[in-house]
Amino acid sequence: MLPRLILALIVCPLLAEASTEMPLSGRYLGQYRIVMWGCPGACNADAATRLGEGIRDVAWTWDFDEGWVSMEGTSLTVGFPYEVQDLGNESDTHNRAQVTYLGDNRYRVDHGFQIYNPNVGNPRTETLTVFEITESDSGLTMITLDHEVDGLADGIPGTQIHGVFPMTVQPQMDGWALPDNNDTSGDGLSDALKLQLGLNPRLLDTDNDGLPDIDELGSLGAEAPADSDNDGLIDALEPGDSALDPQRLAGLALLGSVPGLSTGTEPLAGEVISVTTAAPWRFVQASTDLMVQDTENEQASEDRDATLGAPGLKYSYGRIRLALEPASNAVATDSATLSITTPQPLPANDELLVYLQTNRNEPDSFKLLTSSSWQRKDDNTLVLTIGLDSEWNLATTGSNRIELTVAPTRNGLGGIERSGGAAFWIPMLLTISTLMGMNRIR
């Protein structure tokens, strides 16, 4: 009885904020990315620390007719899973949080929130999040607003959760959504199917080469999308002649994202890079993702940090995974040279760091590549050479194949200015974060 009474005391005053009939209708599907902000006490912009984020964009479904949203969870980069639940966590089959319209494009979501970390008792609470939802020809955009129950903004997206977790936390959940069972681009491919293929559902021609996505899928269509050069990228993602050139990868979107689509929390998500090599080598596989490992199926009590690489560095480009083999009837040379071209300028030469994985069985075996093995050719081009027998080659010894995972980053350590408030709280935050299994603060 008492939990229900507490829930009523929290929710009922908030219901009074509801302004008018919901202007949106229908069901929408999309993705969001969670960012967890934390403070040792009451939050303000100077004291807040970005504790971590979801290791990937995850799905959510909005039903404006029935007034609910269902959000999938994932692992946080600090090493344990979270879940957004229905109020009271009463449903065994779904987590549908209540949606109420507040007016001025603002929507309040009342929901449960739980982290699964046995070290702190898998804490759970009832809370709320207020979104600004705007509609355009390309669908809905959801942005988490700074909304506090007392009406006093604290300068941080989200709503403070006090006294439940080892520190005050604020979940920020930004994302997008498109109409359910819709074909936004009008090309005969559903939005859901295009996302599954890594194509932009808002565009007829994802790679902007003048050929519609549906034509570039080939005769077997979505069941077996054409990859004419067998380099690991389907033709609908590689523009023009690059779709026929196994020595050139084009249309490879960073951070495992969809070209031109991003939830907004990762600035480079959806940005497209190109990678080239020279004979006798050709690409046979290519993928990208965040510099994180999936901990959802592991024991949170192990206090594992899901982030990879050197502590304190932000790997904005994520991981770029590539595999190369000699062309047919060609003899492998001792090394392969690759050029990676990015749409945004790379960090300055004295700030650019290049990390490569050294053990395929150890996700966090990244080491700094010596400067003699790479070159910042120009503002947008990184050139590196990988030896067939080097420690950076993750392929099976003697296979005449090169596999590598590269993670460029900017050296942001040292000379960082912090406000007095933030600097004051850093030792305390480290202590509290350790209790929660947060071994690194991002």
Side-chain angles (χ1 to χ4, degrees):
M1 181 65 183
L2 184 57
R4 289 181 177 274
L5 177 59
I6 294 173
L7 176 60
L9 292 173
I10 293 173
V11 174
C12 288
L14 297 171
L15 292 176
E17 294 184 29
S19 172
T20 184
E21 183 178 351
M22 207 171 296
L24 293 172
S25 62
R27 185 172 294 189
Y28 287 74
L29 308 179
Q31 295 179 327
Y32 77 98
R33 172 75 62 81
I34 190 171
V35 174
M36 287 293 291
W37 298 94
C39 307
C43 278
N44 59 70
D46 288 336
T49 295
R50 184 173 173 140
L51 299 173
E53 60 190 79
I55 65 171
R56 63 170 63 88
D57 294 347
V58 287
W60 60 9
T61 301
W62 292 76
D63 192 313
F64 295 99
D65 294 333
E66 298 185 9
W68 56 261
V69 57
S70 176
M71 307 183 191
E72 291 184 7
T74 185
S75 290
L76 296 167
T77 52
V78 289
F80 49 80
Y82 75 91
E83 189 173 53
V84 180
Q85 303 166 342
D86 58 297
L87 290 173
N89 197 24
E90 296 179 348
S91 173
D92 295 330
T93 59
H94 59 72
N95 285 315
R96 291 182 176 177
Q98 176 182 321
V99 178
T100 308
Y101 184 56
L102 303 179
D104 298 325
N105 295 326
R106 296 176 302 129
Y107 294 75
R108 191 188 70 248
V109 176
D110 295 294
H111 59 91
F113 190 83
Q114 185 166 14
I115 62 170
Y116 292 94
N117 185 340
N119 293 333
V120 291
N122 298 325
R124 180 193 181 280
T125 190
E126 312 289 355
T127 186
L128 71 143
T129 304
V130 176
F131 296 89
E132 179 182 60
I133 302 180
T134 55
E135 185 177 20
S136 67
D137 292 340
S138 57
L140 303 181
T141 300
M142 288 81 164
I143 301 296
T144 306
L145 297 179
D146 177 6
H147 179 94
E148 305 305 330
V149 177
D150 61 10
L152 300 176
D154 61 9
I156 308 158
T159 300
Q160 294 184 26
I161 301 175
H162 298 280
V164 178
F165 306 102
M167 61 196 311
T168 299
V169 298
Q170 290 186 238
Q172 175 186 355
M173 297 174 281
D174 295 346
W176 55 270
L178 299 170
D180 188 13
N181 296 321
N182 194 53
D183 177 7
T184 301
S185 63
D187 60 2
L189 300 171
S190 71
D191 294 342
L193 179 58
K194 293 194 76 168
L195 286 173
Q196 180 182 332
L197 297 172
L199 301 173
N200 192 325
R202 300 174 178 174
L203 302 176
L204 279 168
D205 178 13
T206 297
D207 58 13
N208 195 32
D209 63 356
L211 298 173
D213 291 341
I214 193 167
D215 292 344
E216 291 196 89
L217 291 181
S219 59
L220 297 180
E223 293 185 7
D227 178 9
S228 298
D229 53 7
N230 294 311
D231 62 359
L233 278 183
I234 64 175
D235 293 356
L237 289 171
E238 286 203 271
D241 293 341
S242 61
L244 305 173
D245 184 355
Q247 293 180 332
R248 181 186 179 194
L249 290 164
L252 183 60
L254 291 172
L255 304 172
S257 188
V258 173
L261 270 186
S262 171
T263 53
T265 56
E266 291 287 343
L268 295 182
E271 293 279 0
V272 170
I273 64 170
S274 65
V275 191
T276 59
T277 190
W281 297 99
R282 55 169 291 155
F283 295 105
V284 293
Q285 282 182 311
S287 64
T288 66
D289 58 3
L290 289 163
M291 273 286 281
V292 295
Q293 57 183 321
D294 193 341
T295 60
E296 289 182 273
N297 297 321
E298 299 176 12
Q299 293 295 321
S301 59
E302 294 179 5
D303 291 337
R304 298 196 63 168
D305 186 345
T307 55
L308 304 174
L313 295 180
K314 171 65 176 177
Y315 291 84
S316 301
Y317 298 88
R319 290 185 288 186
I320 304 170
R321 298 178 173 184
L322 305 167
L324 303 92
E325 292 180 353
S328 299
N329 302 320
V331 178
T333 55
D334 292 339
S335 62
T337 298
L338 299 89
S339 295
I340 301 174
T341 302
T342 64
Q344 302 294 334
L346 292 162
N349 197 60
D350 58 351
E351 293 184 330
L352 180 60
L353 301 175
V354 181
Y355 282 83
L356 267 78
Q357 188 174 344
T358 59
N359 187 327
R360 65 182 303 147
N361 298 316
E362 297 181 11
D364 208 8
S365 60
F366 281 84
K367 292 184 180 179
L368 191 64
L369 185 65
T370 57
S371 57
S372 60
S373 297
W374 63 268
Q375 175 191 6
R376 187 180 183 274
K377 185 177 180 181
D378 55 46
D379 286 349
N380 300 85
T381 307
L382 169 66
V383 179
L384 58 148
T385 300
I386 304 298
L388 187 63
D389 297 324
S390 72
E391 65 176 318
W392 316 110
N393 184 8
L394 303 179
T396 304
T397 303
S399 65
N400 281 342
R401 177 182 171 103
I402 290 178
E403 298 178 11
L404 69 152
T405 300
V406 58
T409 186
R410 184 182 72 86
N411 183 5
L413 302 177
I416 299 174
E417 294 183 5
R418 296 187 177 92
S419 66
F424 175 79
W425 289 115
I426 285 175
M428 183 180 294
L429 286 169
L430 290 173
T431 301
I432 297 173
S433 297
T434 300
L435 292 174
M436 293 186 71
M438 300 175 183
N439 300 319
R440 300 176 193 154
I441 297 176
R442 284 286 185 258

